[in-house]
Amino acid sequence: MKPAQFDYYAPASVEEALDKLAELGYEGKVLAGGQSLIAAMNFRMARPGSLVDLNNIPELSYIKPTADGGLAIGTMTRVYAVEHSPEVAKRFPLLPEVAHYIGHAQIRRRGSFGGAIAHADPSGQLPGIAKVMNAKCLIRSKGKEDRWVDAADLIIGPFMTVIEYEDLLTEVVLPPNPPRTGSSYQQVARQNGGYALAACASVLTLDDKNKCQDARLILMGVGEMPILSDKVKEILIGQEPTEEAFKEVGEAVQSEIDPSSDLNGTSEYRRDLIRVLVPRSLALSLERAKKGS
Amino acid sequence: MAQLIPIKVTVNDTVYERQVEPRLLLSDFIRHELGLFGTHVGCEHGMCGACTILFDGEPVRSCLIFAVQANGHQIKTVESLGSPDHMHPLQEAFHEKHGLQCGFCTPGILMTVVPFLEEHPHPTEDEIREAIDGNICRCTGYEKIIESVQAASEKMSSGK
């Protein structure tokens, strides 16, 4: 199908974009990479009155180291650029590992890092990954002070965030991980590039006695939004990271997820996948943490 | 009245100036405004890959970009590759190895593989499978497509 009619604006700077968004209010919608939005518009599931296109704002595309050893990523940085950035691979190997599974190469060339997070698709990888990486999101709007929102507080439901119509997510900051941190991503999908039936990512940090200093786990595709597990912390922090403990986490998170059934897989099947994927991801993260990566 | 926006876009090295409605997809602009029917439209939501073109040298879905966004950019479609008398080595390989049956997916696959072979002049079979995982061939002729890409990489790296 074809999109419904809309008005189009292509600001050349962030300030111009904020002016336009403030002026349009409820009628306006940000067009970032467009790889989800334009598809939704073609189906007429989305019918925005006006689009404010960010593709002519070069100042929104960058990957910059922060003073504390983390990274700041501009909202329009293409997923493909994040996937292939040596800076990202060195500091956050989880990101290229995950990016590889997002859509197809042609989608990643155009799709934007910030746009994917702001879109908050419960089946998308990046909103969950931002949560498990403790990302901080910079939200700007005209006439208001800049706001920093934790990724964990950004998403409030399926396709819903605290970003208002006049707001723009301009930057995502990834804080550095402590030494002896390992991370990994696991998913099961019907085909390459397809939505994952279930997926998870874990980040483990070891202390000098090889016990878990920190453990973070995000569960994706098994609820209305990516679920940051509390159980993983209860079970692992301060404890020996053993295979048995990882299996226990896979069982314990069953109370935290609420997968639905569709023609690709039943709710029970998705629960089983999580039971298998969580210990796998934790074991891989542990191996990587031991290597100090 | 719908907005009409003037755009200037270079397609296959020719500069076109047109007035477009914002909602016009780049795929429809290429086909209906420019008459370049080589770019095929399958699903219009980014799943099938038939409409893949090069946007400033990068393979992207032309059904997930508005024509108005192409203003000032360089587009290459399958028509840029070669002619029936002077085929691109990749097209020759598809011809020789039976890399197409109905041919609907072929333009998208060619435009995906051209930049892929530039980055991977000697691809493995696995790399080729992954490179075309965003293109659906509903004749399911994937084996022949992979053979064609392999043959093309040999042709192109030996300079023939």
Side-chain angles (χ1 to χ4, degrees):
Chain A
M1 275 173 66
K2 310 294 176 190
Q5 218 170 290
F6 61 90
D7 287 334
Y8 173 83
Y9 303 96
S13 69
V14 172
E15 298 312 316
E16 269 182 47
L18 296 179
D19 282 350
K20 193 43 92 177
L21 287 169
E23 179 194 319
L24 292 168
Y26 183 78
E27 276 294 293
K29 176 119 185 108
V30 171
L31 172 60
Q35 301 303 284
S36 301
L37 177 60
I38 299 179
M41 288 174 70
N42 288 354
F43 275 122
R44 301 211 179 182
M45 290 191 305
R47 300 178 71 142
S50 298
L51 287 185
V52 178
D53 187 357
L54 304 185
N55 283 279
N56 294 316
I57 311 180
E59 64 185 287
L60 284 175
S61 295
Y62 55 84
I63 298 172
K64 285 193 297 216
T66 54
D68 61 3
L71 280 180
I73 301 181
T75 202
M76 281 303 291
T77 310
R78 309 291 173 183
V79 174
Y80 194 85
V82 173
E83 184 184 352
H84 291 91
S85 154
E87 288 281 0
V88 172
K90 193 172 74 189
R91 289 178 171 81
F92 304 105
L94 181 61
L95 266 184
E97 185 180 345
V98 172
H100 186 74
Y101 292 96
I102 301 172
H104 307 287
Q106 299 102 323
I107 303 282
R108 299 197 290 275
R109 297 266 188 169
R110 187 80 185 161
S112 68
F113 187 74
I117 294 170
H119 184 53
D121 184 338
S123 305
Q125 288 96 338
L126 288 178
I129 295 302
K131 274 173 100 164
V132 82
M133 294 178 83
N134 288 340
K136 309 244 178 289
C137 303
L138 176 58
I139 297 174
R140 299 187 57 196
S141 57
K142 193 189 178 184
K144 278 202 259 175
E145 281 202 21
D146 292 354
R147 287 184 286 154
W148 284 98
V149 179
D150 287 347
D153 301 324
L154 187 85
I155 301 158
I156 52 175
F159 304 101
M160 282 188 283
T161 66
V162 299
I163 303 169
E164 299 289 342
Y165 291 101
E166 67 277 14
D167 291 343
L168 189 60
L169 167 63
T170 58
E171 181 176 284
V172 179
V173 169
L174 306 170
N177 285 317
R180 308 201 74 210
T181 296
S183 57
S184 70
Y185 176 71
Q186 291 283 315
Q187 73 160 45
V188 167
R190 288 272 170 186
Q191 69 279 322
N192 267 11
Y195 279 129
L197 291 171
C200 69
S202 63
V203 183
L204 274 191
T205 303
L206 296 177
D207 64 17
D208 49 13
K209 296 187 182 68
N210 279 332
K211 290 193 171 166
C212 281
Q213 184 179 314
D214 191 19
R216 283 173 270 149
L217 173 68
I218 191 90
L219 306 156
M220 291 174 279
V222 286
E224 289 196 327
M225 44 182 167
I227 299 155
L228 201 53
S229 173
D230 291 322
K231 295 287 181 194
V232 72
K233 291 183 185 288
E234 287 169 23
I235 295 169
L236 290 182
I237 291 181
Q239 303 297 317
E240 295 271 340
T242 60
E243 207 177 307
E244 289 69 36
F246 293 163
K247 277 192 184 152
E248 195 189 331
V249 176
E251 286 302 331
V253 299
Q254 297 293 323
S255 65
E256 298 181 304
I257 60 176
D258 183 21
S260 54
S261 295
D262 61 28
L263 56 87
N264 291 313
T266 59
S267 166
E268 292 74 17
Y269 179 56
R270 289 182 157 94
R271 285 185 176 278
D272 276 345
L273 290 177
I274 287 294
R275 199 172 274 126
V276 174
L277 295 178
V278 163
R280 258 186 217 170
S281 171
L282 288 167
L284 198 52
S285 295
L286 172 63
E287 200 180 298
R288 292 170 179 174
K290 281 181 179 163
K291 286 182 197 150
S293 62
Chain B
M1 257 310 277
Q3 249 184 334
L4 275 181
I5 297 176
I7 61 166
K8 189 173 174 181
V9 49
T10 308
V11 180
N12 303 336
D13 300 323
T14 305
V15 179
Y16 296 90
E17 290 186 53
R18 293 284 191 282
Q19 303 257 339
V20 295
E21 258 193 81
R23 68 182 188 137
L24 182 68
L25 297 172
L26 182 56
S27 46
D28 286 338
F29 174 78
I30 289 168
R31 289 174 57 83
H32 303 145
E33 291 284 325
L34 307 186
L36 297 168
F37 297 108
T39 301
H40 290 173
V41 174
C43 70
E44 282 190 336
H45 63 286
M47 300 302 288
C48 79
C51 69
T52 302
I53 53 142
L54 301 185
F55 189 97
D56 295 336
E58 299 204 69
V60 294
R61 312 287 207 219
S62 60
C63 75
L64 295 184
I65 298 179
F66 294 112
V68 64
Q69 297 185 282
N71 185 30
H73 291 276
Q74 297 272 344
I75 307 290
K76 294 266 187 192
T77 68
V78 70
E79 285 89 348
S80 70
L81 294 186
S83 65
D85 297 329
H86 297 281
M87 284 194 282
H88 187 279
L90 183 60
Q91 291 172 314
E92 274 176 15
F94 269 68
H95 181 205
E96 287 159 13
K97 297 283 177 187
H98 303 282
L100 62 147
Q101 292 176 54
C102 84
F104 192 87
C105 69
T106 313
I109 291 183
L110 296 178
M111 297 317 281
T112 299
V113 172
V114 165
F116 166 73
L117 284 180
E118 280 166 17
E119 284 173 23
H120 303 83
H122 304 286
T124 63
E125 186 186 323
D126 282 349
E127 285 172 334
I128 298 171
R129 283 183 186 276
E130 197 181 310
I132 59 162
D133 73 11
N135 295 79
I136 294 174
C137 166
R138 225 39 326 173
C139 306
T140 70
Y142 296 106
E143 298 299 328
K144 292 289 176 189
I145 293 170
I146 289 156
E147 280 176 34
S148 305
V149 176
Q150 274 166 337
S153 72
E154 285 156 24
K155 263 179 203 279
M156 288 162 77
S157 55
S158 68
K160 280 178 201 162

